[in-house]
Amino acid sequence: MYKPISQPSKSEAYAWVKPDDKLQMSDHFSSLLFGGSISNTILELVTLIAPLVAMFFFGDALNVKISMPFSELALYFIVCSVVRRVYNAYLEAVYFSFPSKRTQPPKEHLLKQEKDLCGRDIEQLNLLHFHDKMTMLSQFALNFALYFYLPGYYPADEEQPLSFQERFGKL
């Protein structure tokens, strides 16, 4: 899956080659769409689209009492994914834009030993890639198991909001 390359493409530049320090902050948002792994991105898209497809076929039958509607849950997971990707891209941009502020500078010699910027070799990267996929699938299963088998875990909006005193009392 992973192999070091002498001339990386734009999407592979951060894995094997330290980018030029003269890049602007906006140049670092290369991983917003693919996040370093096209297969993981496709799997994430499938797990985000699957609830929408299920909603299309089964409609309101998927809703659980005292929980938010299934459509809102699907939208919630999509929004979480977008926020996570933007935040990770922001962290990447900050890391490479402010080299003097780093608490852990990249070990450039690791690149010559066929390791990534974090010091992981090919075998470790392949294992990490597999673990990412299994984590994504298990989180998908867990989230929807919680929705269907633990009503109220994702709470619905209340018909009439509680007064301040009632909310304070529940604290």
Side-chain angles (χ1 to χ4, degrees), residues 121-136:
D121 62 20
I122 306 289
E123 185 178 325
Q124 291 169 325
L125 286 172
N126 287 333
L127 184 61
L128 183 64
H129 189 72
F130 174 74
H131 282 209
D132 286 348
K133 287 180 180 170
M134 293 300 108
T135 299
M136 198 177 315

Side-chain angles (χ1 to χ4, degrees), residues 22-169:
K22 296 178 182 163
L23 294 174
Q24 299 295 321
M25 192 170 199
S26 61
D27 295 333
H28 294 282
F29 288 85
S30 60
S31 62
L32 273 176
L33 181 59
F34 292 115
S37 170
I38 293 175
S39 63
N40 279 358
T41 302
I42 291 170
L43 181 61
E44 183 179 7
L45 287 174
V46 167
T47 61
L48 291 173
I49 292 172
L52 299 174
V53 172
M55 197 175 53
F56 176 77
F57 285 111
F58 300 107
D60 290 337
L62 295 172
N63 292 341
V64 174
K65 285 186 179 184
I66 74 166
S67 292
M68 68 173 60
F70 193 78
S71 59
E72 288 181 15
L73 185 68
L75 183 61
Y76 170 74
F77 290 132
I78 291 171
V79 169
C80 286
S81 177
V82 169
V83 168
R84 190 177 316 112
R85 285 188 174 270
V86 169
Y87 182 66
N88 286 342
Y90 165 76
L91 291 177
E92 175 187 289
V94 168
Y95 178 81
F96 287 110
S97 295
F98 303 104
S100 63
K101 306 279 187 207
R102 294 179 191 157
T103 58
Q104 186 178 16
K107 300 170 185 153
E108 293 181 6
H109 70 281
L110 294 175
L111 296 174
K112 296 174 187 162
Q113 299 173 5
E114 294 188 350
K115 295 185 177 186
D116 73 345
L117 290 174
C118 295
R120 296 173 293 221
D121 62 20
I122 306 289
E123 185 178 325
Q124 291 169 325
L125 286 172
N126 287 333
L127 184 61
L128 183 64
H129 189 72
F130 174 74
H131 282 209
D132 286 348
K133 287 180 180 170
M134 293 300 108
T135 299
M136 198 177 315
L137 291 173
S138 65
Q139 288 297 306
F140 175 79
L142 175 67
N143 283 323
F144 287 99
L146 287 171
Y147 179 75
F148 288 113
Y149 298 113
L150 192 59
Y153 185 80
Y154 296 103
D157 286 338
E158 295 185 22
E159 294 286 326
Q160 291 193 339
L162 299 174
S163 68
F164 173 76
Q165 292 84 4
E166 290 172 313
R167 288 188 310 226
F168 186 76

